[in-house]
Amino acid sequence: MTTTQHDPFTPPPGYRLRLPGPTEVPEAVRAALARPMINHRGSEFRAILAATEALIRPVLGTANPVIFLAGSGTAAMEATLANILAPGERVLVASHGQFGERFADIGRALGAEVDVIDFTWGEAPDPAKVAEKLREADYGALLVTHNESSTGAVADLAALGKLTQGTRTLLVTDSVSGLAGIEMRQDDWGVDIVVSASQKALMCPPGLGIVSLSERARARVMRNEAMPRFFFDFRKALTAAEKHETPFTPSVSNLAGLHVALKLIEAETLPRVLARHRRLADALRAGGAAMGLSEFTRAAHRSATVVVYEVPAALQGGDIVRLMYQRHACVIAGARNRLQGRVIRIGVMGAHNEGTILTDLVQLESVLVELGHPVTPGAGVAAAAAFLAGGAPSVSRAAE
């Protein structure tokens, strides 16, 4: 008898990528990625870059210039700090999860003096406590994760922006897992720098970092202090951006894909995109609750791009993740931090619909039952369907 061996480089049949990033890439974006290579210094690329910047500004809620970097979200975070913090300069991190910790680690690696105000994972930063801490020192920047995908909590950027207005402290936010799925109003909220990336709610492959800088952030960047930077020198990037160019070789294909992804968002309209993310995340929460899964997130502002469930006491998160893949070729996330084994995370990012969420719940139910967790058959799907039909109240308390 001949056994057919699966190609290890190809996903199995029925493969579903349900991580909180990277996310599935729509067919139109994949087609753009496959276009013939063009001159990265030619008129065609300058046109793509200019159009992409124009399309992403409304998503960011800004009139600021936008820098596109060849690199991941973490690269964009490091590049940002390298451009605004001189060695020995003091910075405050309002940390409420894994990526707040990453911001602090990057600051330390760059030689900044890093103070951290820690908030309970699952909660959002308390603006009153941040305000108190800001009074203790002359901070060059306040760093905060907008959407903490490790916990599902969303920071109140509007409230934090009020704290830094009229001071020399720049408000810098990592919205890698938030942008295009959760409202961002950079200019209205007084956010000086928004850092994001291509592979989450922007529906593209990894490979592009995105940074938008306010006027006062640009002034900070232009300081001529001993800040080691070359490839990630925002002075060069901002000058090149005025001509719709990049200082070094850009990720040409990824920018072509991002342009198409942003056109899809424009066609649906940003308000509808944001409402769809919220509605699907709330439906997933309703379905999980009906299957006896408690939500880990305790914050008043809960994510519209990732749902984080507590793992029932008798189970291990790794077992749920493993069986979801083995039984259904569905890839969800556990945790690779202090929450390892205690939570599972499902992304709600990009081009998903009601069928996506209902399928998640069918597959999750079968795995929970196999692991011995008591579930009323069909309860999760029924609760989510009732919510989607308007028969259940929203379980989300996220800010509009």
Side-chain angles (χ1 to χ4, degrees), residues 38-399:
I38 59 175
N39 177 8
H40 68 301
R41 298 295 179 223
S43 59
E44 300 90 349
F45 179 74
R46 286 196 295 272
I48 289 173
L49 189 60
T52 302
E53 183 177 13
L55 286 166
I56 204 168
R57 280 176 173 156
V59 180
L60 286 157
T62 191
N64 295 325
V66 181
I67 294 172
F68 299 95
L69 304 171
S72 67
T74 300
M77 292 165 72
E78 178 173 342
T80 295
L81 298 194
N83 278 273
I84 64 168
L85 297 175
E89 192 162 9
R90 207 168 196 86
V91 61
L92 177 63
V93 181
S95 178
H96 60 122
Q98 176 181 347
F99 295 98
E101 292 182 344
R102 180 171 299 182
F103 243 154
D105 288 342
I106 294 170
R108 295 186 189 103
L110 293 174
E113 292 293 326
V114 179
D115 291 346
V116 178
I117 177 168
D118 282 309
F119 295 93
T120 302
W121 285 30
E123 297 285 353
D126 181 344
K129 292 182 179 178
V130 175
E132 184 178 345
K133 186 69 177 178
L134 284 171
R135 288 192 286 269
E136 295 180 6
D138 179 24
Y139 290 108
L142 167 63
L143 313 181
V144 64
T145 302
H146 177 209
N147 179 72
E148 183 53 79
S149 60
S150 65
T151 69
V154 178
D156 187 346
L157 295 180
L160 295 174
K162 291 176 181 177
L163 303 180
T164 57
Q165 288 177 5
T167 75
R168 69 174 296 271
T169 305
L170 299 179
L171 175 57
V172 181
T173 190
D174 150 25
S175 191
V176 171
S177 63
L179 191 69
I182 300 173
E183 184 179 38
M184 172 61 70
R185 292 165 55 189
Q186 180 180 5
D187 294 354
D188 289 348
W189 293 342
V191 181
D192 290 292
I193 303 180
V194 177
V195 179
S196 194
S198 55
Q199 75 274 17
K200 305 218 174 196
L202 286 169
M203 305 180 288
C204 291
L208 274 180
I210 298 161
V211 184
S212 174
L213 301 104
S214 71
E215 183 176 359
R216 69 181 195 144
R218 297 196 298 276
R220 183 75 59 84
V221 165
M222 294 301 174
R223 290 188 306 177
N224 218 3
E225 298 183 29
M227 297 151 74
R229 43 189 169 159
F230 186 83
F231 180 82
F232 286 141
D233 190 336
F234 284 0
R235 295 170 300 182
K236 298 172 185 174
L238 288 166
T239 299
E242 292 176 359
K243 300 177 287 185
H244 305 304
E245 293 182 355
T246 59
F248 305 105
T249 305
S251 185
V252 175
S253 297
N254 275 331
L255 274 158
L258 179 58
H259 175 250
V260 171
L262 290 166
K263 291 293 288 183
L264 294 175
I265 291 172
E266 181 186 49
E268 186 176 351
T269 75
L270 182 60
R272 289 180 182 273
V273 169
L274 299 178
R276 174 169 54 80
H277 278 79
R278 169 60 54 208
R279 183 167 175 265
L280 294 179
D282 284 351
L284 188 56
R285 289 185 172 97
M291 294 192 295
L293 295 178
S294 299
E295 191 178 358
F296 177 80
T297 314
R298 299 291 183 264
H301 299 183
R302 290 188 281 176
S303 178
T305 61
V306 59
V307 174
V308 183
Y309 296 122
E310 289 184 4
V311 173
L315 305 183
Q316 277 292 318
D319 292 336
I320 300 173
V321 172
R322 175 177 52 82
L323 283 178
M324 284 289 283
Y325 183 72
Q326 290 178 349
R327 300 292 185 262
H328 304 290
C330 178
V331 184
I332 65 171
R336 299 177 64 185
N337 48 49
R338 67 179 75 172
L339 299 179
Q340 185 168 357
R342 295 173 49 197
V343 300
I344 57 172
R345 300 177 297 139
I346 301 178
V348 188
M349 300 177 179
H352 299 305
N353 56 32
E354 295 180 2
T356 309
I357 301 305
L358 297 177
T359 302
D360 291 339
L361 293 166
V362 168
Q363 294 179 347
L364 186 56
E365 178 186 310
S366 73
V367 165
L368 292 173
V369 169
E370 181 174 348
L371 290 172
H373 179 69
V375 178
T376 302
V381 169
F387 174 84
L388 292 168
S394 171
V395 296
S396 171
R397 296 164 289 171

